[in-house]
Amino acid sequence: MSQLHADMPHAAGRPLKPAMLRGALGRCPACGQGRMFGGYLKVLPSCRNCGEELHHQRADDGPAYLTILLVSHLGAPLLLAIFMLYRPSAMSMLISFSLGAIILSLLLLPRIKGGFIGFQWARRMHGFGDEPHTPIEAQTS
């Protein structure tokens, strides 16, 4: 570990790999037991098992961009290889690769979003630190 990362207080105490793996599995990055998602991509406000607040997350468009990047980089060489080996019709290529891209995107997106949230939790980003959080309602009153 470099000296720069060793001196950073947010890097201590929260292992990155387990947090990202838990998130990718749709589990709370803190305890690994509670569910992170209340729907397909809807993040629950807090873990029902350990009470860790999850509403701080700011995954935004990052998971979508990474999903597109992965699906296109997997699909393009496969498309070329299938075409060169078997010479299927244009319509069969269009249908099969469109369905494949849609299915792969739908499978990867929640896992990548969970990994992003696990990363943010492990690095104490966007309010995932140890300091107490003041609800928005209390700040405006």
Side-chain angles (χ1 to χ4, degrees):
M1 179 183 273
S2 71
Q3 184 63 29
L4 174 68
H5 293 302
D7 292 338
M8 294 172 64
H10 69 274
R14 290 187 179 175
L16 180 63
K17 187 176 179 181
M20 289 182 70
L21 288 174
R22 290 173 183 163
L25 293 173
R27 300 291 175 195
C28 171
C31 69
Q33 300 298 318
R35 293 179 1 154
M36 183 186 310
F37 297 111
Y40 177 63
L41 291 175
K42 173 84 170 134
V43 179
L44 293 171
S46 62
C47 175
R48 293 180 179 149
N49 186 53
C50 69
E52 177 72 34
E53 292 183 355
L54 301 172
H55 63 87
H56 302 295
Q57 64 86 20
R58 295 287 178 261
D60 300 330
D61 291 334
Y65 290 136
L66 189 56
T67 299
I68 291 168
L69 182 75
L70 289 174
V71 170
S72 62
H73 278 79
L74 292 173
L78 187 61
L79 181 88
L80 181 62
I82 295 295
F83 181 75
M84 296 301 288
L85 288 174
Y86 302 109
R87 301 282 182 188
S89 70
M91 189 55 70
S92 65
M93 293 278 288
L94 180 68
I95 292 171
S96 63
F97 277 91
S98 295
L99 285 174
I102 290 168
I103 292 169
L104 189 57
S105 295
L106 291 173
L107 290 173
L108 286 176
L109 188 56
R111 283 141 187 84
I112 293 173
K113 183 172 183 174
F116 263 67
I117 295 169
F119 179 83
Q120 291 173 8
W121 178 84
R123 293 295 177 228
R124 301 178 191 271
M125 298 169 67
H126 308 297
F128 281 119
D130 291 333
E131 66 278 349
H133 176 69
T134 307
I136 294 172
E137 297 83 26
Q139 292 175 0
T140 59
S141 300

